[in-house]
Amino acid sequence: MSSKSLASYGENSTDLISRLSRLQAVDYSSKSPQEQAKVEQLFKIGLSNINVLFPNLNVPVTSLNADDYISKWLKRYYDAHTNRPSTRHANVKHSVNDPALGVIVETREGWSTQRLDDSLSAHNLFMSAENIQGALLEEYINSIASTEGWIWAEGETLRACDFVRFNAQALGSEFIQIKNRDNTENSSSSAIRNGTQIKKWNRLTTHMKNKRPVPSFNWDQLNTLMHIQSASEAGYNQFLKNVVNANHDIIN
């Protein structure tokens, strides 16, 4: 379905920034000046490549006012900002486990009905954890990188990049795309990233040791890319423990 892009309004960057400032002042007056300034900086960085970086927000093609796009963009950011991954509650699973799968496993392993039920419950928890982990990874990185001037593009407010920062020394912006594993980038994200300055980082890489897959972690690479020092697997694990202890309903 066709959708109006921000670039298609044909307005210059100065006018678009002015619209954003006015809408923030009216619709998000309760937000701190620091938060509003951060959002404006994120928007300005997006304008540096307006045709590539701004997402499709399903704005009707009949729209003649750029406020329509910018209002949706601001709502996407602030909705995500006030509903951080660590505070969310997992949705209750509505699909039933296929009993035939249980027959296969039970027959193969000789498990009791109780053990099979326990294993299915554990499987559901692992799947729920996998669904939220990517967002929690970004939140952990934000807890460290935000002090170094990085802005988290919450709510997927920029395409194919998760953290941005204006580098005054380089007179340009830096873009980082965060992935949990080395095989999780979809083709559309890759197409956007190719030909841009967006750098990709993944936390987990699989290596073979004694013909068995083992994990290795790439935190040193992230610390170098983002010019931070303290991101680590141990720190990430502690962050996850703190989140789950404070919010048991984060998985279901």
Side-chain angles (χ1 to χ4, degrees):
M1 182 178 180
S2 298
S3 175
K4 190 91 169 187
S5 68
L6 183 60
S8 65
Y9 290 98
E11 296 193 20
N12 62 47
S13 294
T14 301
D15 290 340
L16 291 172
I17 293 167
S18 177
R19 287 179 178 276
L20 178 96
S21 298
R22 174 175 50 78
L23 288 168
Q24 281 213 101
V26 173
D27 297 334
Y28 300 96
S29 58
S30 62
K31 303 298 180 181
S32 69
Q34 293 81 5
E35 188 64 34
Q36 292 194 35
K38 183 174 71 174
V39 173
E40 183 170 314
Q41 183 65 33
L42 178 65
F43 187 74
K44 288 178 179 178
I45 290 173
L47 290 175
S48 68
N49 198 341
I50 189 172
N51 289 300
V52 170
L53 292 174
F54 282 101
N56 181 340
L57 298 184
N58 295 318
V59 177
V61 293
T62 54
S63 170
L64 300 177
N65 189 336
D67 285 8
D68 296 338
Y69 184 98
I70 297 171
S71 292
K72 280 199 166 189
W73 187 87
L74 284 169
K75 185 176 187 303
R76 176 178 280 205
Y77 176 88
Y78 280 114
D79 282 354
H81 182 72
T82 57
N83 185 29
R84 288 270 169 90
S86 59
T87 66
R88 298 172 192 167
H89 290 179
N91 294 325
V92 176
K93 182 180 178 182
H94 294 293
S95 60
V96 67
N97 292 316
D98 188 339
L101 299 179
V103 172
I104 296 171
V105 174
E106 184 179 24
T107 303
R108 165 66 169 76
E109 296 297 321
W111 286 356
S112 67
T113 301
Q114 183 61 54
R115 182 171 182 183
L116 185 65
D117 289 344
D118 291 344
S119 297
L120 285 171
S121 295
H123 172 73
N124 290 338
L125 287 174
F126 273 99
M127 293 297 293
S128 183
E130 187 172 37
N131 289 339
I132 193 66
Q133 190 197 184
L136 290 173
L137 177 61
E138 291 181 25
E139 187 172 347
Y140 166 68
I141 293 170
N142 181 66
S143 70
I144 298 170
S146 60
T147 61
E148 299 297 330
W150 288 96
I151 302 172
W152 184 13
E154 297 187 70
E156 298 181 350
T157 40
L158 294 182
R159 300 173 71 196
C161 59
D162 302 298
F163 289 90
V164 301
R165 179 174 70 170
F166 181 75
N167 188 327
Q169 292 181 332
L171 298 178
S173 297
E174 300 174 276
F175 304 88
I176 302 288
Q177 183 186 62
I178 302 297
K179 294 296 179 183
N180 186 54
R181 303 178 70 97
D182 53 359
N183 62 348
T184 55
E185 183 177 28
N186 60 42
S187 58
S188 60
S189 291
S190 178
I192 294 166
R193 191 168 56 81
N194 290 339
T196 71
Q197 297 302 309
I198 301 172
K199 297 177 182 178
K200 177 188 172 186
W201 174 82
N202 59 275
R203 164 182 162 265
L204 177 63
T205 301
T206 301
H207 290 293
M208 300 303 293
K209 184 177 181 180
N210 298 324
K211 297 183 179 181
R212 300 189 66 178
V214 295
S216 62
F217 303 101
N218 302 316
W219 292 103
D220 288 344
Q221 182 189 41
L222 181 72
N223 289 331
T224 299
L225 280 175
M226 301 186 79
H227 305 286
I228 56 180
Q229 297 181 353
S230 56
S232 67
E233 188 65 13
Y236 178 49
N237 289 341
Q238 187 59 55
F239 170 82
L240 294 176
K241 290 177 182 178
N242 293 342
V243 165
V244 177
N245 283 330
N247 178 15
H248 283 195
D249 292 328
I250 196 168
I251 60 174
N252 194 310

